[in-house]
Amino acid sequence: MTIPKRTVKTMDLIKKIKALLILLILISLNSIYSINFQKPKTNLNCKLKNGYYTQSIAIGENILIIHIEITDESANFHRVIDKYFVKNKINWISDCQFELITQEITDPILVDVDWIGNITHYKVAAIDKNLFSYIKIEKNETPQQLKYQGPSFPHETND
């Protein structure tokens, strides 16, 4: 018994359509998979804990203490609490690298070196328990250290 040519052509067409559908499904799954994983994942070992930090900056013979409030979305540096500060958006751009985007400045010392919309790139230099060291990528400067103080603000304000 022979199968009519018309039926053979229809069967071949059905096989081609099935193969095309399988190919389209595989391409779709691959696209969905790659879209879900394109966002850089932050290495949790490098990410700052949410809470409050201090940073000591040597200015001549004096030491200036900066208070930093860190959340998942922001890093706010206070020279004088509630008076002189810089608010930044923090974006983790890859494992152990982040950028700070300046959103607000009230500190007159920084008027000439920082501005709203300024983006500065950093990388994690080291983490040791409650000390977090980071460095500016552009200038490869000496690492700066933040000392973790805790989840709530432990400092008193002195205006």
Side-chain angles (χ1 to χ4, degrees), residues 7-112:
T7 306
V8 171
K9 287 182 180 179
T10 304
M11 290 172 67
D12 286 343
L13 182 61
I14 290 172
K15 285 180 185 178
K16 289 178 183 177
I17 290 172
K18 283 182 182 179
L20 182 60
L21 285 174
I22 290 171
L23 180 64
L24 289 174
I25 289 170
L26 289 175
I27 290 171
S28 297
L29 288 174
N30 185 41
S31 297
I32 291 169
Y33 178 80
S34 55
I35 287 170
N36 286 337
F37 294 100
Q38 281 179 351
K39 186 175 180 181
K41 298 207 182 295
T42 302
N43 181 341
L44 295 178
N45 294 328
C46 291
K47 195 168 182 180
L48 289 148
K49 295 185 254 186
N50 286 348
Y52 294 87
Y53 296 76
T54 57
Q55 180 177 17
S56 301
I57 300 172
I59 299 178
E61 294 179 13
N62 298 317
I63 302 239
L64 177 64
I65 303 294
I66 304 294
H67 303 273
I68 301 106
E69 174 188 9
I70 303 285
T71 69
D72 289 333
E73 296 86 29
S74 65
N76 301 319
F77 296 75
H78 300 263
R79 183 165 59 92
V80 178
I81 310 299
D82 296 329
K83 188 172 182 179
Y84 298 133
F85 58 86
V86 177
K87 289 186 178 184
N88 298 281
K89 179 178 180 184
I90 187 169
N91 286 331
W92 287 90
I93 53 177
S94 67
D95 282 350
C96 301
Q97 291 190 6
F98 61 98
E99 62 186 9
L100 293 179
I101 303 168
T102 305
Q103 295 182 316
E104 185 179 351
I105 303 173
T106 63
D107 195 331
I109 291 176
L110 300 174
V111 170
D112 293 332

